[in-house]
Amino acid sequence: IKPKFLPLFESMMADSSQTEGSGNSVTAASASDISKEEILRQIFGEIGELIEDFTCAVESTVLLHGRMYITNKFICFYSNLFGLEKKIRIPY
């Protein structure tokens, strides 16, 4: 089954760092110390230089909301909902 990427509006997806009382153990100060490139490297390995990232969803058996990352080598998707982790790397 080929996944279908569906764009979502940024305003619909509230960033967890903006939500008060979300219960996240990561503070804003410690999260800002880690760049998006470092986080992507931990998730996907070496995927190149980050160009842009978007909120989107992948349609498979269920609709998985997550982020799409465009690098100079790959299009990547990452979702982690209720412990269901999905990673997609598409080279181009």
Side-chain angles (χ1 to χ4, degrees), residues 66-89:
R67 305 260 332 152
M68 179 172 54
Y69 301 94
I70 309 295
T71 70
N72 59 345
K73 298 178 182 177
F74 292 92
I75 297 174
C76 301
F77 174 80
Y78 179 75
S79 174
N80 188 349
L81 297 173
F82 307 113
L84 176 63
E85 187 176 59
K86 181 71 170 180
K87 299 180 199 178
I88 301 172
R89 273 178 29 160

Side-chain angles (χ1 to χ4, degrees), residues 9 13 22 32 36 50 59 69 85:
F9 296 105
M13 299 296 291
S22 62
S32 66
K36 282 186 183 180
L50 178 65
E59 185 181 274
Y69 301 94
E85 187 176 59

Side-chain angles (χ1 to χ4, degrees), residues 14-74:
D15 192 13
S16 61
S17 63
Q18 296 173 353
T19 307
E20 291 183 27
S22 62
N24 289 341
S25 61
V26 178
T27 63
S30 66
S32 66
D33 295 339
I34 302 171
S35 70
K36 282 186 183 180
E37 287 85 3
E38 291 173 9
I39 294 169
L40 287 174
R41 199 171 299 116
Q42 290 176 359
I43 295 171
F44 294 106
E46 187 56 44
I47 57 170
E49 184 180 329
L50 178 65
I51 298 170
E52 190 67 57
D53 63 313
F54 305 95
T55 302
C56 71
V58 169
E59 185 181 274
S60 60
T61 55
V62 295
L63 192 63
L64 297 173
H65 294 265
R67 305 260 332 152
M68 179 172 54
Y69 301 94
I70 309 295
T71 70
N72 59 345
K73 298 178 182 177
F74 292 92

